[in-house]
Amino acid sequence: MNLKNVNKVETNKVELEIEVDGETFKNAINKVYRQQAKSISIPGFRKGKAPRSVVEKMYGKEVFYEDAMKEVYPQAVQDAADEAKLRTVPDRVELDVVEVSEDGFTFKVKLTTYPEVTIDGYKGIEVEAVSAEVTDEKIDEQIENARRRAGSIETVTDRAVADGDTAVIDFEGFKDGEPFEGGKGEMYSLVIGSGSFIPGFEDQIIGHNTGDEFSVNVTFPEEYQVPELAGQPAEFKVKLHEIKARILPELDDEFVKDVSTESETVEQYREEISKNLAEDLEKARETDISNKLADALAEKVEGEIPQAMYDNRITDMMKEMEMRLRQQGLDMNLYMQYTGMTEDTLREQYAEEAEKQVKVRLALEKIAELENIEASAEELDEEYGKLAEMYKLDVEKVKSIIPEEDIKRDVAVDKAMKLVKENAQVK
């Protein structure tokens, strides 16, 4: 490979003119011929047995050129970019072949390059963080949650429906006196106060007794997913079959022994919850600070950022989502069928967060550069060790997969974020 010329054609775009030598090209042609020979039929030869010279004589010397160029150019482009010390962004690449013969070929290619950004004011960012104070109210809330989890569901016959009950109902919806599709259900268990039905529906169940038949009048939200119902009034005819209530256990020492492995009395249980809450709230506070600092950095970074960087991040986020779905026994196609979404609408959904993440990463890399932040040899080894443990691979195998330069940048970015956090003015 010979890098003949480097030409900046626009912001974040560089055109390289690259020459591939004859030996490399001939080796690629031989490889392509071997791959394709088994499917080539030439009169007088068994299928796949025709010599290359015969194939070229019949179809022309150039018969394998295009595929051979495709075989060679990715590595040639990478080598040329390395020689030109360019940090490139994965993007769609088009080749412009200048000259080609059996002695090699020359081509031009336009690459998207990593943007140059600037950032000011990254020290002393003001952040108003959420409180990590442990209050009696928060402790009581945790205890009530534990009581609800340990509670039992029992049928109630001596009172009307109250907030928090589960009402077992039949219902059918009517618009202008006519039933509409999807508006009917039988023996449906509706948790009152869950907000799972149209606003106002659940409130009108409260106060009714088992066996009651009554009407519920509501108006569909303006943004309702069924256009013909959006913003329209409707009547639901309802029959209440059963009322179920969650019966909570008494808050006493016996309850504490059932739900805790560390405490035996209510007082000890409150102390245990207080300690756990303090840890959880402090973690939540730290996360909140980091998120708000990231938002601030995304706003402060300036520069022309290639759209390809945003698109690539969206693609990565969709792959991450697909992996999570697979862990749940689903796939992306099934998920889109359930939600009525398409790949385009999913990408649109991720666009804003992807843009933020790209900007934050660029900001932190720039801060690392300005502050001369680098990864030490010890930090590099530690990071490779973590990855090896995570993926259950040998450290040397991880090193062969993930370039050292990528790990160095990741460590430097983490240290840059630590610097921003240490210098922030947190309220």
Side-chain angles (χ1 to χ4, degrees):
M1 185 282 300
N2 176 33
L3 177 58
K4 297 183 68 176
N5 191 31
V6 180
N7 181 31
K8 185 174 181 179
V9 292
E10 57 184 272
T11 304
N12 303 319
K13 280 285 184 183
V14 171
E15 183 180 71
L16 304 183
E17 185 174 359
I18 304 167
E19 182 181 60
V20 175
D21 63 271
E23 182 180 359
T24 300
F25 191 44
K26 287 173 184 175
N27 289 338
I29 291 173
N30 281 330
K31 182 177 180 180
V32 169
Y33 162 70
R34 290 194 298 271
Q35 290 172 341
Q36 298 182 3
K38 57 181 176 292
S39 62
I40 298 175
S41 296
I42 299 289
F45 295 89
R46 285 185 298 161
K47 185 175 182 179
K49 297 299 182 180
R52 177 181 148 191
S53 58
V54 174
V55 176
E56 290 178 336
K57 185 175 181 180
M58 184 167 189
Y59 293 105
K61 271 191 170 185
E62 302 82 7
V63 64
F64 299 116
Y65 281 8
E66 183 176 351
D67 289 334
M69 284 189 285
K70 289 179 181 178
E71 180 74 27
V72 169
Y73 93 83
Q75 189 60 52
V77 170
Q78 183 61 57
D79 292 344
D82 291 343
E83 183 176 329
K85 294 182 170 54
L86 297 174
R87 187 178 176 189
T88 60
V89 175
D91 200 357
R92 189 167 60 89
V93 173
E94 291 184 6
L95 268 63
D96 179 12
V97 179
V98 177
E99 184 180 10
V100 60
S101 71
E102 61 183 347
D103 295 322
F105 68 100
T106 302
F107 66 98
K108 293 180 179 180
V109 62
K110 289 179 182 177
L111 302 178
T112 301
T113 56
Y114 217 73
E116 181 59 42
V117 300
T118 60
I119 186 167
D120 293 309
Y122 55 85
K123 289 182 178 178
I125 297 174
E126 294 185 0
V127 173
E128 188 170 341
V130 295
S131 173
E133 180 186 2
V134 177
T135 64
D136 286 339
E137 290 77 14
K138 290 177 180 177
I139 294 173
D140 290 340
E141 183 181 346
Q142 293 290 310
I143 290 175
E144 285 306 298
N145 289 338
R147 291 179 68 204
R148 280 194 290 270
R149 288 193 297 270
S152 59
I153 302 294
E154 297 182 11
T155 298
V156 175
T157 59
D158 59 350
R159 64 169 175 82
V161 176
D163 191 25
D165 287 343
T166 297
V168 181
I169 59 173
D170 293 343
F171 63 89
E172 185 171 14
F174 297 83
K175 177 179 174 293
D176 298 328
E178 296 293 329
F180 53 83
E181 186 176 353
K184 185 176 183 179
E186 295 181 351
M187 300 300 289
Y188 186 90
S189 294
L190 175 62
V191 178
I192 306 302
S194 64
S196 55
F197 269 33
I198 304 162
F201 188 102
E202 295 168 24
D203 293 339
Q204 296 178 57
I205 304 292
I206 293 174
H208 285 283
N209 292 283
T210 302
D212 285 358
E213 296 187 30
F214 51 95
S215 291
V216 168
N217 293 288
V218 296
T219 299
F220 283 93
E222 293 291 341
E223 66 277 7
Y224 194 67
Q225 62 267 29
V226 182
E228 55 268 27
L229 295 177
Q232 298 298 307
E235 177 189 15
F236 283 84
K237 293 181 179 179
V238 179
K239 181 174 182 178
L240 178 58
H241 288 285
E242 187 179 5
I243 303 170
K244 296 180 179 181
R246 184 174 292 276
I247 307 301
L248 304 184
E250 289 294 325
L251 178 57
D252 53 24
D253 292 350
E254 289 305 313
F255 165 75
V256 170
K257 292 173 185 177
D258 286 340
V259 298
S260 173
T261 58
E262 300 178 20
S263 304
E264 294 187 350
T265 67
V266 173
E267 183 179 356
Q268 291 173 349
Y269 188 46
R270 291 185 69 86
E271 291 175 0
E272 176 190 339
I273 290 176
S274 178
K275 177 185 174 183
N276 293 337
L277 259 179
E279 294 175 357
D280 292 343
L281 291 174
E282 186 57 37
K283 288 178 184 177
R285 177 180 168 83
E286 290 300 314
T287 299
D288 182 60
I289 292 170
S290 296
N291 289 338
K292 288 174 178 174
L293 288 173
D295 290 338
L297 292 174
E299 291 178 2
K300 290 179 179 296
V301 71
E302 294 184 2
E304 292 188 39
I305 302 173
Q307 182 62 39
M309 294 189 76
Y310 300 140
D311 293 339
N312 292 339
R313 184 63 196 125
I314 292 171
T315 298
D316 289 342
M317 292 169 78
M318 290 187 66
K319 287 179 180 177
E320 291 163 7
M321 178 185 179
E322 187 170 15
M323 186 177 300
R324 291 193 299 272
L325 288 172
R326 285 179 178 172
Q327 290 172 349
Q328 298 170 24
L330 298 172
D331 61 32
M332 187 66 85
N333 290 332
L334 195 58
Y335 173 80
M336 288 191 290
Q337 287 177 18
Y338 284 157
T339 60
M341 301 187 79
T342 65
E343 183 175 340
D344 287 341
T345 55
L346 271 174
R347 293 186 70 87
E348 185 178 339
Q349 179 177 290
Y350 281 127
E352 184 176 350
E353 180 62 22
E355 180 176 341
K356 173 189 163 182
Q357 290 183 15
V358 168
K359 287 182 175 180
V360 172
R361 175 76 185 202
L362 288 171
L364 290 171
E365 286 191 7
K366 188 63 180 179
I367 292 168
E369 177 190 327
L370 294 171
E371 298 288 340
N372 296 313
I373 297 173
E374 295 181 347
S376 67
E378 292 78 11
E379 289 169 333
L380 194 60
D381 288 341
E382 183 181 350
E383 196 63 26
Y384 269 123
K386 289 179 183 176
L387 291 170
E389 184 177 349
M390 181 188 303
Y391 294 112
K392 310 298 182 189
L393 294 172
D394 182 77
V395 171
E396 293 305 316
K397 180 65 176 177
V398 176
K399 288 182 177 181
S400 71
I401 297 171
I402 305 177
E404 183 177 296
E405 197 61 34
D406 290 352
I407 301 297
K408 284 182 177 179
R409 289 196 188 102
D410 288 345
V411 172
V413 160
D414 289 342
K415 293 170 75 173
M417 188 61 182
K418 184 178 180 181
L419 179 144
V420 172
K421 204 168 184 178
E422 289 172 347
N423 287 274
Q425 295 182 23
V426 181
K427 300 178 182 178

